[in-house]
Amino acid sequence: QVQLVESGGGLVQAGGSLKLSCAASRRTFSSYYMGWFRQAPGKEREFVAVISWNGGTTYSDSVKGRFTISRDSAKNTVYLQMSSLKPEDTAVYYCAANKFNVGASYDYEYWGQGTQVTVSS
């Protein structure tokens, strides 16, 4: 069974940094598009960033310049380095995987269970 497991969430002060990880259970994920999404209380899930199998990246305007998505294919892991965090970044962060590029849509085949990020002011 395919699994995506996020880790690294927690409580951080505004202006601080946090690095999320998403470990995939299958080696074939090295050829997948890997995305990060987030969902704040009472709001819809929103796209954060995506990375292609060869390292191409796309970010939402709200995180561009502050967040960096990367991947280590040897470890089947994708990362989200978050810097200059703001209280409005508070959300549950989910990683997702899909064989084809679906960009910012919800059409990813595989989803993790999420990790909570809380940014205090």
Side-chain angles (χ1 to χ4, degrees):
Q1 188 171 354
V2 175
Q3 282 189 317
L4 298 175
V5 180
E6 301 99 333
S7 61
L11 174 64
V12 63
Q13 288 188 333
S17 299
L18 210 56
K19 187 174 184 177
L20 306 183
S21 299
C22 172
S25 63
R26 232 165 58 179
R27 183 178 298 275
T28 53
F29 276 107
S30 63
S31 64
Y32 277 51
Y33 289 80
M34 302 294 293
W36 284 99
F37 288 74
R38 66 186 182 186
Q39 188 166 18
K43 295 187 177 181
E44 291 188 352
R45 191 171 298 189
E46 67 169 344
F47 167 78
V48 175
V50 62
I51 186 167
S52 69
W53 60 272
N54 63 351
T57 58
T58 302
Y59 298 91
S60 68
D61 288 342
S62 61
V63 307
K64 197 174 296 182
R66 300 188 299 122
F67 290 12
T68 302
I69 188 171
S70 62
R71 68 192 302 164
D72 185 336
S73 295
K75 296 182 178 180
N76 294 333
T77 300
V78 63
Y79 304 98
L80 186 68
Q81 175 69 54
M82 306 184 293
S83 302
S84 302
L85 283 161
K86 306 174 182 179
E88 50 264 44
D89 293 319
T90 294
V92 177
Y93 282 72
Y94 299 89
C95 74
N98 202 68
K99 189 174 182 180
F100 304 105
N101 185 10
V102 292
S105 78
Y106 296 156
D107 295 333
Y108 285 75
E109 184 174 3
Y110 304 104
W111 291 84
Q113 82 290 349
T115 185
Q116 176 71 47
V117 172
T118 303
V119 184
S120 63
S121 57

